[in-house]
């Protein structure tokens, strides 16, 4: 099977290259507040994930982390870059970016993970409260996958209420990429071991109000010597103005 080329939604600015990978149920619009803060010093290239935005959604794809990373790698190779780049991932994009950096270490000079939903297996969580919270997330994800009409309807209402229509989409069009990416990349993941294996500097940036993070897992990541964590007060999971400024400040 041929690995598809992904849509390059934005390529702006001059200088060292930053590649940006958005999260699940989203598009390159995720970075609309961040990119303008970087293009005076960097060339920013936003790639849309397999099955999302304007990228192809192959009928045969299982949307595993391997499939996503293969498509990202194929697309980056098509750019013919001559030097390692900064890789920025948001949400699911941060999990895929960690795997990309682990598999292709010579390509990445620095890794920036924004709002990473990094989970261990509940059985690996020592803190009962963290274990309960993680179990609740897993049950909620399973419920979303198994209740299509409920999920699509509620996402549409939330997107409309908070004016997120350009950055949040779960619809008939991307339902299969959504549920398979959720199941195969977020619910089932090895991101902690991927991060541990990476040798370049890693910055993890997340909001104190992020509703998708588990403190137990974050504390494990924070103890790794090559990881620097940045907590942004009054920010949630999305890259709104405050979080965008924090990410730009870390990169710059």
């Amino acid at each position: 099977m041929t690995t598809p080329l992904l849509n390059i939604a934005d390529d702006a600015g001059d200088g060292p290259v930053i590649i940006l990978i958005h999260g699940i149920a989203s598009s390159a619009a995720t970075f609309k507040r961040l990119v303008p803060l970087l293009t005076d010093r960097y060339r920013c290239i936003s790639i849309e994930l397999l099955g999302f935005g304007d990228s192809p959604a192959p009928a045969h794809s299982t949307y595993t982390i391997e499939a996503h990373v293969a498509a990202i790698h194929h697309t980056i190779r098509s750019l013919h870059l001559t030097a390692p780049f900064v890789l920025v991932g948001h949400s699911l994009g941060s999990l895929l970016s960690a795997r990309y950096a682990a598999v292709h270490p010579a390509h990445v000079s620095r890794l920036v993970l924004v709002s990473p939903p990094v989970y261990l297996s509940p059985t690996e969580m020592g803190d009962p409260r963290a274990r309960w919270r993680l179990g609740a997330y897993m049950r909620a994800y399973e419920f979303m996958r198994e209740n299509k009409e409920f999920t699509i309807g509620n996402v549409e209402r939330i997107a409309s209420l908070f004016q997120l229509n350009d950055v949040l989409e779960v619809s008939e069009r991307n339902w299969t990429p959504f549920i398979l990416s959720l199941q195969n990349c977020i619910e089932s993941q090895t991101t902690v071991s991927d991060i541990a294996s990476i040798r370049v500097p890693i910055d993890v940036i997340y909001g104190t109000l992020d509703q998708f993070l588990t403190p137990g897992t974050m504390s494990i990541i924070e103890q790794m010597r090559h990881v620097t964590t940045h907590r942004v007060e009054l920010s949630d999971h999305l890259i709104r103005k405050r979080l965008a400024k924090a990410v730009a400040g870390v990169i710059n």
Side-chain angles (χ1 to χ4, degrees), residues 26-54:
S26 192
S27 68
T30 292
F31 302 109
K32 65 181 180 180
R33 292 183 176 87
L34 175 60
V35 167
L37 303 178
L38 298 171
T39 48
D40 60 333
R41 298 179 61 182
Y42 298 95
R43 177 187 175 190
C44 296
I45 302 171
S46 299
I47 297 175
E48 293 187 315
L49 291 177
L50 192 68
F52 298 100
D54 290 324

Side-chain angles (χ1 to χ4, degrees), residues 83-195:
F85 49 82
V86 177
L87 184 57
V88 178
H90 173 254
S91 192
L92 169 61
S94 65
L95 309 188
L96 302 178
S97 295
R99 174 61 66 84
Y100 183 96
V103 175
H104 304 287
H107 297 185
V108 179
S109 61
R110 184 180 179 189
L111 186 62
V112 180
L113 309 180
V114 185
S115 308
V118 181
Y119 305 138
L120 293 170
S121 166
T123 58
E124 298 178 89
M125 305 293 286
D127 185 337
R129 290 172 297 179
R131 186 166 58 247
W132 180 89
R133 185 173 178 179
L134 180 57
Y137 282 137
M138 295 300 111
R139 290 189 293 273
Y141 294 151
E142 183 179 8
F143 179 85
M144 285 193 292
R145 287 191 286 104
E146 294 181 351
N147 294 272
K148 180 178 179 180
E149 291 183 6
F150 174 89
T151 300
I152 290 176
N154 279 276
V155 166
E156 287 177 349
R157 283 189 284 273
I158 291 169
S160 178
L161 179 63
F162 294 100
Q163 298 180 328
L164 301 174
N165 300 83
D166 55 344
V167 297
L168 183 64
E169 180 195 0
V170 179
S171 63
E172 290 285 351
R173 187 183 74 88
N174 68 4
W175 177 251
T176 297
F178 170 71
I179 60 168
L180 291 180
S181 297
L182 181 61
Q183 184 174 27
N184 296 333
C185 301
I186 296 179
E187 294 177 66
S188 176
Q189 59 172 269
T190 58
T191 308
V192 170
S193 60
D194 288 337
I195 291 173

Side-chain angles (χ1 to χ4, degrees), residues 238-250:
L238 299 179
I239 304 180
R240 305 180 197 273
K241 187 179 296 185
R242 184 187 296 264
L243 193 56
K245 286 182 178 180
V247 174
V250 168

